[in-house]
Amino acid sequence: MADVQGSKCPAEPPEIDEMTSMPTTTTRLLHVILIALIAISFATIFLVVYSLLNNAIWFDNDFIATNRWMIPVLVLVFSLAIGLCQKYLNAPTAIEGSIVDTLKGNGEKADYRTFPGALLSSLLSLLSGASIGPEGTIVLLVGDISSFVRNKLKIAGESADESLGFDIAALASAFNGIVGNVLFTGIFATEFQVGGKTNAFRFLIWNLLAGAIGFIFYTSLGIPSFAEMIPFPSITELKFVYVIYAIILGVLGALLAVFAGLSMQKIGTIMEKSFHDKPIQRILAAGIVIATIGYFFPNLLFSGEKQIHTILQNPQEIGIVMLLIMAVLKILLLALSLKSGYLGGPIFPILFSATMTGLALNLAFPGVPSSILVMCIETGTMTLALGAPLTAILLVAVVGTSNPYMLSLLVLSAVTAMILSLVFKKKKEQSSQAS
């Protein structure tokens, strides 16, 4: 009895707040560092392999250059292979949803078990000549990898918010390196996913940490990023007339984005009615269209990131009418590519279309600085297409070259597009109520 009374029961450990405890915080940060390294390593390898194959098959292939008939042959071969991946490997598609949805991945529906089919279909899609960029495939594949790591390491448990924060950190690492800006996905995630979520501040810390790791990793390898991919000389002074230009170009950019959205809806409806549950026939039909247009307009194949450089060297040779035709066709090809089953993203095709429009305007109004015409219309288009003005502004500023004067005009263009977006949304709601 004395022993019992004299002994001291071990004190119960104090409850540790999962949000603030040092052990949990440290463990989670280690998890973030791990997924950041895995994500940027995969994204780097994927893009290097894709670039090597793309150059070997298309851009550095003299046989293709001298035998143009091979363009439709290769497009159809790759398209058939993608259809087979969808039918027999359960490869996912971006058919359902909007332009923005292609940059959000599968979210809680991410299934790493479909990764082999997704990986093969993604690579084939990018090599097919379809009007898509690599960013959509990176979102999808890195999301699957993050899901796999979470599952194996028992990270995040049943918390949907914490799973999302972890996945966004993986994307931050991949995208910040590729885009070439350490803050890009910090803004991207805040506007697209993390903003308004529980524990958003903690997830933003993860995002910034992973993004810094990805940026340093990618930059250290010396691999070219998308930063300054479309450089324009910045303006050296800010004139009032430039403000007017920025507002007008914001309107034009918004209209271009509306055209892209309507194209997605219309072509999606046509493909669904014509080829419901027929993936091979659907993508082959789209392949025929892409191959035909690509045969006559090779500059419209792929995402357009390489073709832009060739066009920028001498837009006068192409002319106003052809530049505008290419801008329209690029949007239509983007919509056709996404709605027929090719895997990819919309950013670079949209940038291509906006750039062609800006170059056409520069030929029509040579007195206006080309940087204003191109970059302001790019910002307006991306703002409305993505529904993310800060991301659009930063993306255009990074891909081009912007000093504070130019950046102020990009903000005006984005704000104009945002105002128009509210107007369009209100009219759509009124139309829905009337019907």
Side-chain angles (χ1 to χ4, degrees):
M1 188 70 171
D3 290 339
V4 173
Q5 290 178 346
S7 64
K8 295 182 179 180
C9 296
E12 294 184 2
E15 292 185 4
I16 301 176
D17 185 357
E18 183 186 359
M19 290 290 297
T20 59
S21 65
M22 183 58 68
T24 300
T25 300
T26 302
T27 301
R28 285 291 184 260
L29 290 179
L30 290 176
H31 289 159
V32 169
I33 293 172
L34 174 63
I35 193 58
L37 291 172
I38 292 173
I40 190 59
S41 298
F42 168 78
T44 301
I45 293 171
F46 179 82
L47 289 177
V48 168
V49 170
Y50 156 59
S51 180
L52 291 174
L53 289 175
N54 208 24
N55 288 333
I57 295 172
W58 292 98
F59 293 101
D60 296 334
N61 192 328
D62 293 334
F63 182 76
I64 300 294
T66 56
N67 294 273
R68 207 159 165 177
W69 56 270
M70 279 297 296
I71 292 178
V73 172
L74 286 176
V75 170
L76 291 177
V77 168
F78 281 120
S79 299
L80 175 60
I82 296 165
L84 293 173
C85 286
Q86 293 172 14
K87 186 170 184 178
Y88 297 108
L89 296 179
N90 296 318
T93 70
I95 293 175
E96 296 183 2
S98 64
I99 291 175
V100 176
D101 292 329
T102 63
L103 297 175
K104 289 186 175 180
N106 288 330
E108 296 178 9
K109 298 184 293 182
D111 186 357
Y112 61 84
R113 292 168 295 184
T114 64
F115 181 81
L119 177 61
L120 185 57
S121 182
S122 296
L123 194 56
L124 292 171
S125 294
L126 293 174
L127 294 172
S128 69
S131 183
I132 48 175
E135 65 280 358
T137 60
I138 294 296
V139 169
L140 177 68
L141 297 174
V142 169
D144 284 349
I145 290 173
S146 179
S147 174
F148 175 80
V149 174
R150 281 193 287 105
N151 181 276
K152 294 303 178 183
L153 298 182
K154 308 301 181 184
I155 296 174
E158 300 298 324
S159 172
D161 278 358
E162 193 154 298
S163 298
L164 175 64
F166 189 75
D167 294 345
I168 291 296
L171 289 176
S173 178
F175 271 116
N176 281 10
I178 296 167
V179 172
N181 185 275
V182 73
L183 294 176
F184 176 75
T185 319
I187 292 177
F188 174 84
T190 301
E191 290 194 303
F192 275 85
Q193 302 275 22
V194 175
K197 293 285 184 179
T198 304
N199 305 326
F201 183 74
R202 179 170 55 143
F203 297 154
L204 185 58
I205 293 174
W206 296 3
N207 183 6
L208 292 173
L209 173 62
I213 291 172
F215 177 81
I216 294 169
F217 182 98
Y218 199 85
T219 304
S220 299
L221 294 178
I223 302 174
S225 67
F226 295 135
E228 300 184 6
M229 188 193 76
I230 315 176
F232 282 95
S234 291
I235 55 177
T236 57
E237 58 180 336
L238 190 59
K239 300 178 181 179
F240 178 75
V241 69
Y242 293 170
V243 173
I244 304 300
Y245 294 157
I247 294 173
I248 295 174
L249 293 168
V251 174
L252 293 177
L255 294 176
L256 186 59
V258 170
F259 173 65
L262 292 175
S263 298
M264 290 276 288
Q265 293 178 8
K266 187 64 177 179
I267 291 178
T269 301
I270 293 173
M271 299 303 286
E272 174 63 22
K273 289 183 178 179
S274 303
F275 303 101
H276 181 67
D277 290 334
K278 298 177 181 178
I280 296 179
Q281 293 92 325
R282 179 184 61 228
I283 204 162
L284 280 178
I288 292 173
V289 176
I290 294 170
T292 302
I293 294 177
Y295 179 84
F296 293 103
F297 304 99
N299 282 332
L300 294 179
L301 292 171
F302 307 102
S303 65
E305 62 194 76
K306 290 190 176 183
Q307 292 86 341
I308 283 180
H309 295 288
T310 303
I311 297 170
L312 283 174
Q313 292 176 4
N314 191 8
Q316 295 85 353
E317 183 179 354
I318 298 177
I320 296 175
V321 174
M322 187 54 64
L323 286 170
L324 292 176
I325 290 175
M326 291 171 65
V328 171
L329 287 177
K330 194 66 175 177
I331 292 295
L332 294 175
L333 286 175
L334 168 64
L336 177 64
S337 298
L338 292 176
K339 291 301 181 180
S340 59
Y342 297 91
L343 274 176
I347 289 179
F348 286 103
I350 290 176
L351 280 177
F352 179 94
S353 181
T355 302
M356 296 303 104
T357 305
L359 291 176
L361 291 173
N362 186 235
L363 293 180
F365 306 99
V368 183
S370 60
S371 57
I372 295 178
L373 289 168
V374 174
M375 297 176 72
C376 284
I377 201 168
E378 286 177 348
T379 304
T381 306
M382 297 304 298
T383 294
L384 200 57
L386 301 181
L390 295 178
T391 299
I393 292 167
L394 182 58
L395 178 64
V396 174
V398 170
V399 171
T401 51
S402 297
N403 61 11
Y405 297 143
M406 192 69 235
L407 196 57
S408 67
L409 299 181
L410 299 186
V411 171
L412 279 176
S413 180
V415 170
T416 302
M418 291 168 64
I419 293 173
L420 285 179
S421 175
L422 294 175
V423 173
F424 294 148
K425 184 177 181 180
K426 186 174 182 180
K427 287 188 175 182
K428 186 176 180 180
E429 292 175 350
Q430 291 175 345
S431 177
S432 299
Q433 293 174 356
S435 60

